[in-house]
Amino acid sequence: MTSRPGGLWRHPDFVRLWAGETTSIFGSLIGGLALQFTAILWLGASPLEVSLLAGSRLVPGFVVGLAAGVWVDRLPRRPIMIAADVGRAAALATIPVAAVLDVLTMNQLYLVSFATSALTVFFDAAYRSYLPTLVETEELIEGNSKLTASASLAEFGSFGVSGWLVQLVKGPGAIAVDAVSFVVSAVCVWRIKTPEPPPPPAHEREPALREAMEGARVVAHDSVLRTLAGVSAIEAFGNQMFSVVFLLYLTDEIGYKPGLLGMIFAVGGLTSLGGAFMAGRTSRLGGLGPALLIAAAVRCAGGLFTPFVVDVSLVGIALLVAAQCVTDPFWTLYEINDISLRQTVTPERLQGRMFANFHFLEFGAALLGAAAGGVLGDAIGLRETLFLRVAVSAVAVLWLAVSPVTRLRKMPEPANGSA
């Protein structure tokens, strides 16, 4: 098969998926930052409470991740995505309502974070598994590149306004924008017309636990998937350590304001476009495997910029901008090829369970990272914890360097039964 003339922009259902996902990401990035600022600035959260808030977002992925994969492989995926969007919109809408009534508490933030995260696990497993049924195999990198490129633009736009939104309408008001974005996403996905392959009939299904274990086995036994899962888990641990202490360090300890930070974060969205552009051109970096290794290593090195920020000054701002310019494009390059590689080597009937197992590992590792970030932030200091995060990322680079993935020069042949 060959890619359609004009690329995927001439594929109306892909454009609908793209529009819904881009709008959702735009709102989610505003809402995610606003949720942290609501906890820190509106409710005066401590490092431990910020860590608990991060944990409430991570626990659902660890608890329901494997079950989500079984459901996604058993049922049509589009209705799951629509239901998840509607549910997330409803949950988030309760925060601005509670804020207006002056009854908002950290406990409500924990509950809403938990609910939206659980629904996101189902949406993400369905969404990643749905793309290979919507486009041809040779169009996966193009599809993932376009989705990630638009996500980068959404990151640029959302971070550019999120900080100012928090200052103008406060955190709860910015979260309302996120709720609306999920409604738009649900409408876009609902308008997709391409039929899905029918799910397996009930009499052919194995018990849920056995099906879940089949997904775990395909990740554990495939050397490519096993390597990518290890990198994802290690990075999830380090990223969550970073997430717990990052804003606390920059706002409470250094004194940066939300508006300025939002504009700095927006730079990362713009520079990520470079990674999306290079995603299908890995031959320029020695092939698929070497490109993944280079991307992971450069991103690790870029993590050193942030802990060297010690004040609100031109030097401090330059270091934060440099971190965005170095880490974001290379991680985008890594992510697009990582996801496309997973989709290619996994049979279609196991896509949902494969992605769910990745989410299970990532959320479990991130839970440990959130706990480590909260404990270390209090015990050794926020800046020192940021340095430790770079060391964790270096472990992921080493895991990738000694794996068979680095020997890949191009995308392998699709797995038997894949799209």
Side-chain angles (χ1 to χ4, degrees):
M1 298 182 186
T2 57
S3 300
R4 67 196 76 245
L8 290 176
W9 293 133
R10 297 177 63 87
H11 189 317
D13 281 343
F14 173 81
V15 172
R16 294 183 181 107
L17 180 68
W18 167 84
E21 178 67 1
T22 301
T23 304
S24 173
I25 289 174
F26 180 84
S28 294
L29 289 170
I30 290 177
L33 197 62
L35 193 66
Q36 294 183 69
F37 278 130
T38 298
I40 295 170
L41 301 179
W42 185 282
L43 297 175
S46 66
L48 179 59
E49 287 175 319
V50 174
S51 179
L52 289 174
L53 182 62
S56 68
R57 182 171 57 85
L58 299 170
V59 168
F62 186 69
V63 173
V64 306
L66 298 182
V70 173
W71 276 57
V72 165
D73 284 341
R74 281 186 172 188
L75 303 174
R77 289 157 182 168
R78 191 168 66 96
I80 293 176
M81 295 160 65
I82 295 171
D85 275 337
V86 172
R88 289 184 288 183
L92 287 166
T94 66
I95 291 179
V97 171
V100 169
L101 298 175
D102 197 25
V103 294
L104 183 62
T105 65
M106 283 300 301
N107 286 336
Q108 182 176 349
L109 293 189
Y110 298 148
L111 289 173
V112 171
S113 180
F114 185 96
T116 55
S117 178
L119 292 168
T120 298
V121 172
F122 281 88
F123 181 92
D124 285 351
Y127 157 67
R128 295 297 186 190
S129 306
Y130 186 60
L131 183 63
T133 70
L134 201 63
V135 304
E136 304 293 347
T137 300
E138 59 270 21
E139 295 173 318
L140 283 175
I141 289 183
E142 180 191 355
N144 284 316
S145 295
K146 283 179 164 56
L147 289 165
T148 305
S150 61
S152 299
L153 287 174
E155 181 181 345
F156 174 73
S158 62
F159 281 146
V161 302
S162 60
W164 300 114
L165 271 176
V166 170
Q167 290 187 197
L168 291 173
V169 299
K170 307 304 180 184
I175 290 171
V177 175
D178 190 12
V180 172
S181 74
F182 284 124
V183 175
V184 174
S185 176
V187 172
C188 291
V189 175
W190 171 70
R191 294 185 64 239
I192 293 175
K193 306 300 182 185
T194 301
E196 295 184 59
H203 69 272
E204 292 183 6
R205 296 174 185 166
E206 298 283 350
L209 180 60
R210 187 175 299 174
E211 289 192 0
M213 294 309 298
E214 184 181 8
R217 282 195 298 272
V218 76
V219 173
H221 292 169
D222 186 287
S223 60
V224 170
L225 292 175
R226 185 170 62 247
T227 296
L228 298 178
V231 172
S232 295
I234 297 168
E235 287 288 0
F237 178 89
N239 288 345
Q240 204 56 49
M241 280 180 59
F242 177 82
S243 179
V244 167
V245 302
F246 178 57
L247 283 179
L248 283 169
Y249 177 67
L250 293 179
T251 57
D252 285 5
E253 196 162 304
I254 304 299
Y256 280 86
K257 299 298 183 183
L260 178 58
L261 286 178
M263 295 179 67
I264 293 171
F265 298 159
V267 174
L270 199 60
T271 59
S272 293
L273 291 173
F277 175 78
M278 283 295 296
R281 299 168 174 81
T282 54
S283 60
R284 299 181 183 182
L285 296 174
L288 177 60
L292 288 171
L293 181 60
I294 291 170
V298 174
R299 193 228 187 188
C300 173
L304 286 170
F305 287 104
T306 301
F308 282 111
V309 177
V310 295
D311 55 19
V312 182
S313 65
L314 289 177
V315 173
I317 293 171
L319 286 170
L320 290 175
V321 171
Q324 301 291 314
C325 292
V326 172
T327 60
D328 282 43
F330 280 94
W331 194 246
T332 299
L333 169 64
Y334 181 93
E335 184 179 40
I336 290 170
N337 285 284
D338 167 38
I339 291 171
S340 300
L341 183 54
R342 294 189 224 170
Q343 291 167 330
T344 300
V345 302
T346 304
E348 193 279 331
R349 69 181 186 85
L350 290 167
Q351 291 274 336
R353 280 168 283 174
M354 178 273 293
F355 278 110
N357 272 273
F358 269 74
H359 286 315
F360 176 79
L361 292 171
E362 289 163 359
F363 277 105
L367 268 173
L368 296 175
V375 172
L376 291 171
D378 279 333
I380 66 173
L382 303 176
R383 186 175 185 230
E384 290 75 11
T385 304
L386 290 173
F387 276 115
L388 279 179
R389 180 267 186 141
V390 179
V392 171
S393 188
V395 175
V397 175
L398 180 61
W399 176 282
L400 184 63
V402 299
S403 76
V405 171
T406 56
R407 295 196 292 271
L408 292 175
R409 292 297 178 265
K410 61 180 181 179
M411 199 66 69
E413 290 297 315
N416 182 34
S418 66

